[in-house]
Amino acid sequence: FLAALGKEETLRTGEKRKATFLDSHPSSEERVRSANARAGSFARAASTPIARDRSDFVRRFDGLLVGPDPAQGIFRDNLFLHPDLDFALSFPRDWQTQNTPQAVMAKPLEGNALIAFLGLPASEGTDPRAAARKALSDAAQQNVPAEDGGAVRVGSTRGYRVRVLLNGNQLVERSYFAHAGGLFAIQTMAPQTETNTWRDAFDRTLASFRALSGDDRALITETRLALAPAKSGETLEQVSKRTGNSLGDAQTALFNGLRGDERLDAGFLVKIGRARPYVKRQPSSASE
């Protein structure tokens, strides 16, 4: 596991991680050496195997989701797509993006600005104007400078904006709007003196909000693990070409615990990726 973790980090970053003064844990390579040395001092206890053999074990992973889950929304370059909530939102090109359970965010590579898409709790209701009024009331109670930004368009949807000045300089604008039976907000933030610098990027993002088109939905795919028996003497590259593997060569080698240049035995089950259109999942029943 530790060896695979180190390889995954190298694959993700493009280079082996270098130790720094701030590290609080040993490197993966050091942990592997330490674990192997310690393991060599123990006798293996009798136990019942969790699978008959490798083939029996890897069959349990057939169909496992690999990578981002479209049910939580996915990025295609700077375009964020959420199939279950039926919306698309374009963030500025070349900004760094991140999708978290709390918010979908983007910030420029250089500069102090932020755009965040937020889903609000059901307790906030579904009325954007009421949400804006509550935000103003909360700011007044906390003695935070705030003002009513009035009506605003979020795509073709009517919303209401509130401006709040934090720490005397950070201007936060939150635009509340209703969509898909819920309440959402697009929040922008920048130093008050730099807001005009980012205004065009902020406004373009708000204007881009829309329902998904057919072309948008065609971009929403998910990758599931599948198992492909190798032919005698095949390499992983050959298996990938024959089976239409959607994973890269290095990722396929990592998933299978191989270097990537081995000649495989006949019947060796290779874990590959199958990309397929996303279909909204039905919620599981309480009895399942």
Side-chain angles (χ1 to χ4, degrees), residues 90-92 95 115 188 197-206:
S90 294
F91 290 92
W95 282 34
I115 302 175
T188 63
T197 301
W198 305 106
R199 175 59 59 197
D200 184 60
F202 293 165
D203 290 347
R204 285 178 180 273
T205 298
L206 258 70

Side-chain angles (χ1 to χ4, degrees), residues 1-286:
F1 167 77
L2 290 169
L5 188 65
K7 291 178 181 178
E8 190 277 335
E9 186 175 41
T10 301
L11 178 62
R12 177 166 44 83
T13 63
E15 61 181 3
K16 286 188 175 182
R17 187 178 183 281
K18 297 180 175 64
T20 71
F21 176 75
L22 297 177
D23 284 352
S24 59
H25 296 79
S27 67
S28 294
E29 289 185 353
E30 184 179 345
R31 287 181 173 193
V32 169
R33 290 193 297 269
S34 176
N36 281 336
R38 182 111 189 246
S41 66
F42 292 101
R44 182 183 293 273
S47 62
T48 302
I50 62 174
R52 293 189 304 273
D53 51 28
R54 179 186 180 277
S55 293
D56 182 38
F57 179 67
V58 299
R59 284 192 179 97
R60 306 179 189 202
F61 299 101
D62 193 16
L64 185 71
L65 180 69
V66 179
D69 184 357
Q72 306 302 320
I74 58 171
F75 274 102
R76 291 292 181 258
D77 296 323
N78 68 313
L79 180 64
F80 183 75
L81 305 169
H82 201 302
D84 292 0
L85 293 177
D86 187 28
F87 76 84
L89 185 67
S90 294
F91 290 92
R93 293 188 181 278
D94 300 324
W95 282 34
Q96 294 176 318
T97 57
Q98 185 178 17
N99 181 18
T100 74
Q102 292 75 34
V104 183
M105 298 175 287
K107 67 175 186 176
L109 295 175
E110 296 182 3
N112 187 8
L114 180 72
I115 302 175
F117 176 90
L118 309 167
L120 302 180
S123 59
E124 296 286 338
T126 58
D127 184 347
R129 191 169 191 175
R133 288 174 175 169
K134 182 178 183 298
L136 289 171
S137 176
D138 291 345
Q141 291 179 13
Q142 298 170 22
N143 294 318
V144 175
E147 66 177 20
D148 187 345
V152 64
R153 305 300 297 185
V154 181
S156 61
T157 302
R158 183 181 180 87
Y160 291 89
R161 176 180 287 169
V162 171
R163 296 188 179 95
V164 177
L165 190 63
L166 298 178
N167 302 321
N169 185 38
Q170 289 292 323
L171 182 61
V172 177
E173 296 184 343
R174 179 175 282 194
S175 300
Y176 296 91
F177 63 100
H179 175 75
L183 187 66
F184 298 87
I186 293 178
Q187 180 172 297
T188 63
M189 183 171 67
Q192 188 177 27
T193 54
E194 300 177 19
T195 300
N196 288 338
T197 301
W198 305 106
R199 175 59 59 197
D200 184 60
F202 293 165
D203 290 347
R204 285 178 180 273
T205 298
L206 258 70
S208 73
F209 183 86
R210 55 181 168 78
L212 294 175
S213 67
D215 289 341
D216 291 330
R217 290 194 177 276
L219 296 173
I220 303 174
T221 60
E222 63 180 12
T223 299
R224 297 273 175 178
L225 276 185
L227 303 174
K231 296 180 180 179
S232 180
E234 273 190 318
T235 63
L236 284 181
E237 182 180 4
Q238 291 171 328
V239 174
S240 292
K241 288 181 179 179
R242 175 170 59 83
T243 60
N245 180 17
S246 62
L247 304 178
D249 292 341
Q251 193 173 31
T252 302
L254 175 63
F255 280 13
N256 287 279
L258 300 171
R259 297 189 310 274
D261 58 355
E262 297 93 338
R263 294 287 176 176
L264 304 175
D265 295 332
F268 180 90
L269 291 180
V270 178
K271 286 176 276 186
I272 63 171
R274 297 274 194 214
R276 65 187 190 186
Y278 170 75
V279 177
K280 184 175 181 178
R281 299 165 205 138
Q282 296 300 318
S284 300
S285 66

